[in-house]
Amino acid sequence: MEAFQWQQARSPAEAAALVTQTTAEAMLTLHDTPIAQQAILVKAGGVDMLDLMKEGLVNPLRLVDVSRLAELQGISRGSDGSLRIGALTTLAQIAADTGLRQSHAALAQAAAMAASPQIRNRATLGGNLLQRPRCWYLRSAAHHCLRKGGGHCFAFAGDNRYHAVFANHGCAIVHPSTPATALLAFHAQVELLHPQGQRRQVPLEDFFVLPEADMHRENILAAGEILTAVWLPPQIQTNRSIYFQVAEREAFDWPLAAVAVVMDLDAAGLCQEASIVLGAAAPAPWRARQAEALLRGAAIHGETAEAAGEAALAGATPLAQNAYKLPLLAALVRRAVLAAAALPQDPRAP
C-alpha cells in the first residue's frame, strides 16, 4: 500500500465536491501501466477500499472520510410507512432493527447473513452496495481483465465456479452485495447527492449496470456523486418476505446462491403480487420475472412453488464449472416461496 493523504469531510456536499473519481474509474489502467496516484476517493467503513489498496488495485492520492457524518446514519420512518436508511447505517444495525425485522424481514435477514459479526459492525449499507466484485481475476493485480481496461475476461477459460449464470456475456462477475438482493425485491431507490447540492432518487434496478451496457462498472454513480441513502416504499399489511442463501460455510462466506422473495397474499391465499430476486447469480441482482409472472393470481402450494423455481432459471447460461448453481437457485426459490406463504416444506424435496 502506497502513502496517501487523509481528509475528514465536514458534510456530504463537501465530500462530493472533493471526490474526483469513482473506485471503478480509479481501477481502470492501460496494460502494464502502474496505477497513477491521482484519484481522490471517498471512504465510509473502508472494508472494501482498504482491501483494494492493499492489493495494489487502487492507489489514491487522498481518501475523503465520510464515516462521521451524522446525517448519513440511521433509519427513519415516514408517516406513510416508507423508510429512509442512511448510507452509513451499518449492516449490524439493519439486522438488529426491530421495525425492519417486522416490515422488511428479507432485508434484515440478508444483512444478518453478510460477512462476519466484526465486518457487519463496520460495513455500511452504502459501501456494501458500491463494493467491487469479488472475482479473483478482477482482484488480482497480475490479471489485466476487461473490467480494469484489459482485453478479455479470464473467467471464461479459467476458474469460473463462483461466477455468473445469467447475463454473463463478456464479463462473468456476480454482484457481491447481499442486502442488494433483498432491496431490489422491495423496489428500493438510492438517493444520490451531486456536488452542487442536487439530489436525485434512482430505482435500484436502474442504478445497477450490466456488462452489456458498461463493461467497467457495476452502477451509474458518477464521479463527484455520493450515495447518501436508500429509500424503501411502504409495505402493505399482507406483504410477506424472506431471504435465503446457501454457502459452502455457514459463517463468514460468500453465498453460492441466494434469493429474496416478497409476496402479497390475499385472504384466500392467492398471490396478488410477487417479487423474486436472485443473488450470486448475475453481474447485478437478478429479477426472476418469469417466476414472478407465474405466481401472480395463483394459489401458493408445493406445485406452484416448484414451478416458480424452475421458471426462475429461464435464460440461464451457466459456464463450464458453475452449472451446479441452477438446482441451488431453483430449490431456494421453491423454499422461499413456501416459507413466505408460511406453508410447510416437503421433506423429500431438495
Side-chain angles (χ1 to χ4, degrees), residues 3-339:
F4 60 93
Q5 301 170 11
W6 183 277
Q7 183 171 350
Q8 195 75 45
R10 293 170 295 184
S11 70
E14 180 186 56
L18 289 169
V19 171
T20 61
Q21 289 183 317
T22 65
T23 306
E25 290 170 337
M27 289 177 67
L28 280 174
T29 62
L30 299 175
H31 189 57
D32 294 330
T33 300
I35 297 174
Q37 190 182 29
Q38 58 184 0
I40 300 177
L41 305 176
V42 69
K43 183 207 77 71
V47 175
D48 191 38
M49 178 61 69
L50 294 180
D51 277 349
L52 294 172
M53 292 172 66
K54 287 186 289 185
E55 292 160 359
L57 297 171
V58 293
N59 182 22
L61 171 67
R62 186 189 315 164
L63 288 182
V64 178
D65 182 20
V66 298
S67 63
R68 299 181 185 178
L69 299 179
E71 58 197 281
L72 301 186
Q73 300 174 6
I75 301 170
S76 56
R77 293 167 174 81
S79 57
D80 62 349
S82 62
L83 291 176
R84 182 186 186 273
I85 306 177
L88 293 182
T89 307
T90 65
L91 300 188
Q93 290 170 328
I94 292 171
D97 188 271
T98 303
L100 270 180
R101 291 164 68 177
Q102 293 177 351
S103 63
H104 297 77
L107 175 57
Q109 292 159 355
M113 292 184 188
S116 66
Q118 296 92 332
I119 291 177
R120 289 194 296 272
N121 276 285
R122 184 65 184 171
T124 64
L125 179 60
N128 184 272
L129 293 176
L130 297 176
Q131 65 182 303
R132 297 307 316 271
R134 298 290 160 168
C135 170
W136 33 47
Y137 300 111
L138 175 68
R139 296 270 171 169
S140 167
H143 292 83
H144 194 231
C145 74
L146 273 174
R147 217 153 190 83
K148 293 182 291 189
H152 68 283
C153 176
F154 293 91
F156 288 104
D159 189 341
N160 52 46
R161 65 194 128 139
Y162 301 134
H163 286 72
V165 293
F166 295 95
N168 53 8
H169 308 294
C171 176
I173 60 151
V174 295
H175 199 278
S177 173
T178 301
T181 305
L183 287 169
L184 184 55
F186 285 116
H187 307 294
Q189 297 193 357
V190 292
E191 178 185 279
L192 306 177
L193 175 67
H194 192 269
Q196 275 69 49
Q198 304 97 320
R199 296 179 187 267
R200 60 175 177 142
Q201 288 190 18
V202 180
L204 195 61
E205 191 165 12
D206 297 333
F207 180 68
F208 293 126
V209 176
L210 292 175
E212 62 190 36
D214 193 323
M215 188 62 67
H216 301 135
R217 58 179 181 165
E218 297 77 55
N219 55 68
I220 64 170
L221 188 76
E225 282 189 318
I226 299 292
L227 195 159
T228 53
V230 173
W231 288 85
L232 290 162
Q235 297 298 294
I236 60 177
Q237 199 67 25
T238 51
N239 271 6
R240 296 124 179 261
S241 72
I242 198 159
Y243 172 88
F244 282 160
Q245 70 176 39
V246 61
E248 291 179 324
R249 300 183 303 171
E250 284 295 320
F252 195 13
D253 202 2
W254 303 98
L256 301 173
V259 63
V261 170
V262 180
M263 290 194 305
D264 174 22
L265 297 182
D266 65 16
L270 295 179
C271 177
Q272 299 302 307
E273 189 59 59
S275 181
I276 301 175
V277 180
L278 308 181
W286 188 255
R287 286 280 299 277
R289 297 185 185 278
Q290 291 195 27
E292 295 173 351
L294 185 148
L295 291 182
R296 292 188 190 104
I300 303 301
H301 48 68
E303 290 182 2
T304 52
E306 186 169 355
E310 292 302 318
L313 305 182
T317 54
L319 304 177
Q321 300 169 15
N322 68 0
Y324 71 90
K325 286 194 173 192
L326 301 186
L328 290 181
L329 289 165
L332 285 176
V333 170
R334 179 185 60 79
R335 293 177 182 178
V337 168
L338 292 175

